[in-house]
Amino acid sequence: MGTGLISTISDADTLERAAAIIRDGGVVAVPTETFYGLAADWRSESATARIFEIKGRPATMNLPLVAASLEQVAALVGPLDARSARAAKAFWPGPLSLVLPATPSRRATPGHTSNQQPATSNRTIAVRVPSHDFVRALCERAGTLLTSTSANKTGEPPAETAEQVAASLGELVDMIIDGGRTPGGKPSTIADLRGATPMLLRDGAVAWNRVLESLK
């Protein structure tokens, strides 16, 4: 399990090799617009369970997701409600994760992305379309939404370089994509805009007042 192979983002075959690993149920560390993250197929119970094991992450914590585009979100999760759609239009691609329902009626239900509980009508996911070109391309090439939890052991600082990922996770992952130092700073903002009162679940890179302004 895992090779710790580091591949440069500019190498011609990096994208295809990373997508093949994802399709085979593997885990790849990738740069994002904030920190390095762990990417796996959101539909694979074995792959998502492995991420919990790699990180030492409590099973009660959700795994955030990333997508290639709003169209991919609509195809694999379902259409956004009106408020979420306005926020997505304003901030995607970018570091705003939106909470959406993941009900059994949807065409794809994540394996371990929602507290590892059986599918029920109140299950949710948090998803964003990132502003990092490689991550969007990987979602597109792999044909699926990807997990995007930080590429570090739980409790450690998030990794800003491929070398930091290698030092923390070693050969626990199948591939590390070296895209240089990431911007760091705050993680993605997580918001639930579906109810009567918009809720901020995690303060992050997109200021909450800007999210609220986009809903008007």
Side-chain angles (χ1 to χ4, degrees), residues 17-182:
R17 286 194 292 132
I21 289 172
I22 295 293
R23 289 192 294 266
D24 287 341
V27 177
V28 178
V30 297
T32 75
E33 75 272 45
T34 54
F35 300 99
Y36 275 75
L38 294 180
D41 187 340
W42 74 312
R43 301 165 300 186
S44 171
E45 292 192 14
S46 60
T48 53
R50 187 173 156 203
I51 287 181
F52 282 93
E53 180 182 354
I54 289 170
K55 288 179 62 70
R57 185 181 177 93
T60 54
M61 297 179 67
N62 294 349
L63 294 177
L65 305 174
V66 289
S69 62
L70 179 58
E71 290 74 21
Q72 189 179 52
V73 173
L76 297 180
V77 181
L80 276 63
D81 58 276
R83 278 182 177 165
S84 296
R86 285 197 290 272
K89 183 178 180 180
F91 297 108
W92 286 358
L96 174 65
S97 296
L98 297 172
V99 173
L100 303 173
T103 68
S105 62
R106 294 292 166 86
R107 282 191 285 170
T109 301
H112 290 271
T113 55
S114 295
N115 295 340
Q116 297 184 284
Q117 298 297 320
T120 63
S121 61
N122 62 356
R123 293 185 76 201
T124 60
I125 60 170
V127 62
R128 78 182 192 274
V129 175
S131 57
H132 199 289
D133 292 343
F134 183 85
V135 182
R136 295 199 310 275
L138 183 57
C139 291
E140 183 70 30
R141 189 66 62 91
T144 184
L145 275 61
L146 302 175
T147 62
S148 186
T149 185
S150 59
N152 57 277
K153 290 287 188 179
T154 297
E156 292 182 356
E160 296 182 10
T161 68
E163 291 75 17
Q164 290 172 357
V165 176
S168 175
L169 304 182
E171 297 184 352
L172 296 175
V173 298
D174 300 306
M175 188 177 188
I176 300 171
I177 309 300
D178 187 356
R181 182 174 290 274
T182 59

